[in-house]
Amino acid sequence: MKTLAKVLAALMLFALMAVPTLQAKELDGKLEIFSWWAGDEGPALDALIKLYTKKHPGVEVVNATVTGGSGVNAKAVLKTRMLGGNPPDSFQVHAGQELIGTWVEADRMVDLTPLFKEEGLMEAFPKGLIKLIGTDDGIWSMPVNIHRSNVVWYIPAKIEAMGIEVPKSWDDFLAVAPKLQEKGIVPLALAQNWTANHLWESVALASLGAENWDALWNGKLAFDSKEGVAAWKLFGEVLKYTNDDASSLSWQQATDMVVDGRAAFNIMGDWAAGYLSTTKKLAPGKDFGWAASFGTDGQFMFLADSFGLPKGLEDESNARAWLAVLGSKEGSDAFNPLKGSISARVDSDLSKYNDYAKSASADFGKDVIVGSLAHGVTANEGFMNDFASVMELFLKTNNPEAAAKAAQQIAVKNGIAM
Ligand code: GAL
């Protein structure tokens, strides 16, 4: 008996000594991560890289970014690299159809289920989110956040000086907009074309309501139905009150117009909260204000950034360690307070977040949740690219019927509608 006890004790001691040595196995070489979080969009990503480097000092992180909001330029570069057999170690991709209907369908991604299990992440995210990044065959990316698309931004003091109140509906907005224009103020700041897609989804959500918005994406409501046409009509009305130089501006420059008082409002995702607080050092609730975009109160149009692991890497170790950092509570709560988003995890520490994020988190818990088109949830890349052309045409011609018809055609072409 005594000998058995001794053997067991020796085994336990060995196990205790062996575990740290195994864990301490140093990673080395390079890790190339690919995203569109450059410049002003960089600080939150930098926080993650810092955390990774602290844990894995032997790895040289190559932060490959291609500027351009919502990945307008990055996605094209990524496509070329993926098709050319030169994938980055890990790349930014939106949860939903941008991931599943594009890269998973093309069999380009590695199943992360084992990693999720090793890192204890199977229960860390809401079930609905796991559904968006998973199929029957696996889990295909690591979510880093939840962003809200349908938000209107303004500066409370400037709105007061303009003698107006924040509109609740598009009717309210259309009533006040001409008065602002008379004063030389742009009612609604707009930037390059992808931000028109972004504005469109807020307008369409207000015009259609959440149920019909969802119905567009599961093929139950035609894009050229009377409801579909009405959304484009309203969008056309709204565009009359945007700035003429929109197509040459970045989304940050449109936000700047609001900060400077050249414009009254801007509808943008809550990365604008990150920009206003992290870059511009403005205090949420005091220096800048927000509300659900006009006519969408009680609805939360969401999207989630995530990173995936492409097939075909020589060595996946550094990328797997990267994804583990992204999924961790520590990583999430380092990244999101700077980014303007809320954590995708169910256990995040809200005390680390500002008042904007706290309000977004509360809304996420009680609102009706719908997916964003402009940021990859509802449609694959094929539809998105075609939709960009529909939008371009609409911006030139302002023809609601033609746009609705074209949208229906591309929905059929890309397998959304019959
Ligand atoms: C979105 C992305 C956000 C933010 C934004 C502006 O597509 O999900 O994280 O980067 O584009 O570039």
Side-chain angles (χ1 to χ4, degrees):
M1 255 346 243
K2 256 192 184 166
T3 353
L4 183 64
K6 267 190 191 161
V7 171
L8 280 177
L11 276 176
M12 273 169 69
L13 188 69
F14 175 75
L16 279 175
M17 283 164 54
V19 167
T21 0
L22 283 178
Q23 276 181 349
K25 185 186 166 288
E26 284 291 332
L27 293 172
D28 56 19
K30 283 190 180 170
L31 167 75
E32 190 197 18
I33 49 171
F34 183 89
S35 77
W36 58 87
W37 290 332
D40 288 330
E41 293 217 65
L45 179 61
D46 290 343
L48 280 174
I49 295 175
K50 204 166 148 202
L51 192 61
Y52 181 88
T53 311
K54 207 168 112 200
K55 286 187 196 295
H56 307 290
V59 179
E60 182 198 334
V61 179
V62 180
N63 183 11
T65 54
V66 178
T67 322
S70 88
V72 267
N73 308 317
K75 285 184 200 169
V77 175
L78 176 69
K79 194 168 167 191
T80 310
R81 289 191 56 173
M82 293 286 274
L83 298 183
N86 175 30
D89 293 309
S90 181
F91 64 88
Q92 179 185 2
V93 61
H94 288 121
Q97 281 305 305
E98 184 178 312
L99 168 70
I100 305 294
T102 314
W103 297 117
V104 175
E105 200 165 295
D107 196 20
R108 298 282 172 161
M109 306 307 290
V110 174
D111 175 16
L112 301 179
T113 311
L115 180 76
F116 269 64
K117 288 191 174 150
E118 276 158 36
E119 299 296 323
L121 295 173
M122 294 304 280
E123 312 294 326
F125 304 103
K127 288 214 167 54
L129 183 57
I130 295 284
K131 248 185 160 175
L132 274 183
I133 51 170
T135 60
D136 288 346
D137 299 325
I139 300 178
W140 305 103
S141 72
M142 185 65 74
V144 289
N145 63 8
I146 302 285
H147 265 308
R148 186 177 193 172
S149 162
N150 61 319
V151 192
V152 58
W153 307 95
Y154 57 92
I155 306 295
K158 303 232 187 258
I159 291 299
E160 208 188 315
M162 290 171 198
I164 60 166
E165 295 202 341
V166 180
K168 290 243 179 298
S169 64
W170 283 108
D171 279 350
D172 290 354
F173 171 80
L174 293 172
V176 81
K179 292 174 200 152
L180 290 168
Q181 259 182 348
E182 272 164 31
K183 290 186 195 168
I185 298 165
V186 174
L188 192 65
L190 190 67
Q192 62 189 125
N193 283 13
W194 75 263
T195 73
N197 297 342
H198 187 100
L199 175 60
W200 183 83
E201 69 182 11
S202 262
V203 173
L205 177 62
S207 176
L208 291 160
E211 220 170 289
N212 274 341
W213 173 260
D214 283 344
L216 283 182
W217 307 110
N218 56 32
K220 292 199 176 128
L221 179 71
F223 283 79
D224 56 355
S225 58
K226 71 173 191 324
E227 293 89 342
V229 174
W232 282 101
K233 262 196 187 131
L234 177 59
F235 182 64
E237 283 303 302
V238 169
L239 283 182
K240 290 184 189 156
Y241 299 105
T242 57
N243 40 307
D244 295 336
D245 61 349
S247 66
S248 66
L249 303 184
S250 67
W251 69 263
Q252 291 95 329
Q253 286 173 312
T255 312
D256 290 344
M257 288 177 67
V258 174
V259 174
D260 302 346
R262 282 175 287 150
F265 302 104
N266 175 233
I267 287 180
M268 188 40 58
D270 50 14
W271 40 93
Y275 176 64
L276 290 166
S277 54
T278 307
T279 308
K280 295 267 165 186
K281 309 276 180 247
L282 299 177
K286 192 170 141 273
D287 300 333
F288 70 91
W290 65 89
S293 56
F294 312 138
T296 68
D297 197 27
Q299 292 160 4
F300 192 114
M301 184 176 265
F302 93 103
L303 58 119
D305 291 302
S306 72
F307 276 77
L309 182 60
K311 280 188 174 169
L313 298 182
E314 247 169 54
D315 184 349
E316 293 174 351
S317 333
N318 293 348
R320 284 178 179 276
W322 164 249
L323 297 173
V325 169
L326 300 191
S328 70
K329 185 172 174 188
E330 192 187 5
S332 191
D333 287 339
F335 173 83
N336 286 298
L338 297 170
K339 185 69 172 67
S341 40
I342 53 175
S343 173
R345 292 184 57 114
V346 291
D347 60 353
S348 98
D349 178 359
L350 265 188
S351 72
K352 297 206 161 98
Y353 291 73
N354 68 22
D355 284 354
Y356 169 73
K358 283 183 183 138
S359 86
S361 173
D363 289 349
F364 190 63
K366 65 175 167 44
D367 283 1
V368 174
I369 309 289
V370 295
S372 156
L373 160 67
H375 308 280
V377 180
T378 59
N380 60 20
E381 289 281 300
F383 182 88
M384 278 304 298
N385 289 333
D386 290 344
F387 191 81
S389 309
V390 174
M391 181 57 73
E392 216 165 290
L393 199 68
F394 185 78
L395 293 176
K396 281 192 199 124
T397 59
N398 200 346
N399 182 337
E401 284 80 15
K405 206 163 164 205
Q408 178 64 12
Q409 276 163 0
I410 63 167
V412 172
K413 178 181 154 203
N414 290 286
I416 292 167
M418 305 279 268

